[in-house]
Amino acid sequence: MKFHPLTGEFARAADETEFLTSQLPRTRPLLGFSLLFCVVFFQFFFLTDIAALGLDTALRETLPARLGVALNGGVCAWLAYRRPLSVRGTRLAASSAEILSLGCFMVVALARPNEVHWHALSMVVIQVVIYLYIPNRLAYATAIASGGVVVFLALVHYMLPPRPIADLFTMGLLLAMINTFGILAARRFNRVAREEFRLQTQLKRLAGRDQLTGCYNRHYLNAHLLGAELARARRFGHAVSVVLCDIDHFKHINDTFGHHQGDNVIQNFAALLQRMTRQGVDAVVRYGGEEFLLILPETGPAGATVLADRLRDAFAALTFTVDGEPVPTSASFGVAAFDFASADLRVTLPDLIVAADKQLYAAKRKGRNRVESVELAA
């Protein structure tokens, strides 16, 4: 997972989408709270409109815009709290609230033309809120905040009472500086949050993977695969096969050629299993030592047996040598399958694993380097 140098977000769109999706349970309430908080204070500032313009003028010139902000912010906050907004939905809600709030601010600035410096201070606060408190993509926040600054400076220069050029220049530099610091702070926040996510993802992967082979481990099998694959098979009513694989005479390989060469054999066997199974569909688990388990969804006994025979032939064809001496390799396979279309809820994946284990030991008893299979009856 690499980071974008300018935004601090993930460079790959898939990584960024995965991160944003994982953060939605936190992003939605944060967005809702931020919008409600800003709306409430924005409406309180209507009191300053009354003080500056008088009640009648304020009701006529600024209240409609403030109520529009309140309506938009309230609806977006309600959606964030009460509806399962997608990542795109949260971005649209945040962007619309920011754009409408800036538009209302311009209306207030035009209605109160003699308070330019107060308006500039308010613009600074708005920039900080946009960059740091309303969750949005940094590119969107930058475009909205920078656009707001440009429009505000144009109002000051062309539509409000003339100001000394030094005032306009100083105001522009200060707002540019606030934008720059806002971008840098948001970029740093993005990087820190995504770095934490990246580390958590790596830890989860390490917790579920065997360090030597990269296959799933027994912990991941028990915590995730067994329940998920069983539920999927029952829901869709398809067949599932499991294959237990064991490298023949592995203790002899270790004792004769050393544990380093034994590890090399295991790694090559695991790579072969992963290469010849369906990525993203089948699961390859290091079940223990030199023993591996394959979970094959939507695969009946015939298909699983054919795959096991292909794996057996491919592994026997691999050549390993140590100091010119060949290292003989072969493996035995036990296959068990069950068609969950039968709606028999008593059969589980652990039952299939037990049955495959019995077939594996039958293959060992019959001379090794062979495949034995069984289909469980409903």
Side-chain angles (χ1 to χ4, degrees), residues 31-46 66-77 97 100-101 129 134:
L31 175 63
F33 176 80
S34 298
L35 292 180
L36 287 178
F37 187 85
C38 293
V39 163
V40 169
F41 269 86
F42 207 73
Q43 301 313 305
F44 270 122
F45 273 91
F46 179 65
R66 290 189 183 274
L67 290 179
V69 170
L71 178 62
N72 175 265
V75 169
C76 290
L100 198 60
S101 297
V129 171
I134 298 180

Side-chain angles (χ1 to χ4, degrees), residues 152-268:
F152 174 69
L153 292 176
L155 286 180
V156 172
H157 183 63
Y158 293 108
M159 303 186 70
L160 298 183
R163 308 293 307 176
I165 192 65
D167 273 12
L168 186 64
F169 185 64
T170 303
M171 204 177 299
L173 285 179
L174 287 174
L175 290 173
M177 182 183 70
I178 289 298
N179 263 275
T180 302
F181 278 111
I183 291 170
L184 293 175
R187 176 184 177 276
R188 183 177 181 184
F189 174 80
N190 286 344
R191 181 66 180 265
V192 169
R194 285 158 179 78
E195 181 68 30
E196 180 183 357
F197 174 78
R198 185 179 67 84
L199 292 175
Q200 289 176 348
T201 301
Q202 288 180 344
L203 288 175
K204 287 179 181 178
R205 185 182 184 281
L206 290 174
R209 296 280 182 173
D210 172 61
Q211 186 174 3
L212 179 65
T213 64
C215 298
Y216 293 121
N217 57 26
R218 287 284 289 270
H219 169 74
Y220 190 86
L221 170 70
N222 294 325
H224 300 283
L225 291 176
L226 292 181
E229 291 299 341
L230 179 62
R232 188 177 298 114
R234 286 175 173 169
R235 182 166 65 251
F236 295 106
H238 58 62
V240 175
S241 295
V242 300
V243 182
L244 267 175
C245 330
D246 186 81
I247 300 174
D248 296 329
H249 303 295
F250 185 73
K251 184 176 185 303
H252 174 73
I253 294 175
N254 270 340
D255 293 343
T256 305
F257 301 101
H259 288 277
H260 176 73
Q261 186 62 33
D263 286 347
N264 184 39
V265 171
I266 287 177
Q267 287 175 318
N268 278 273

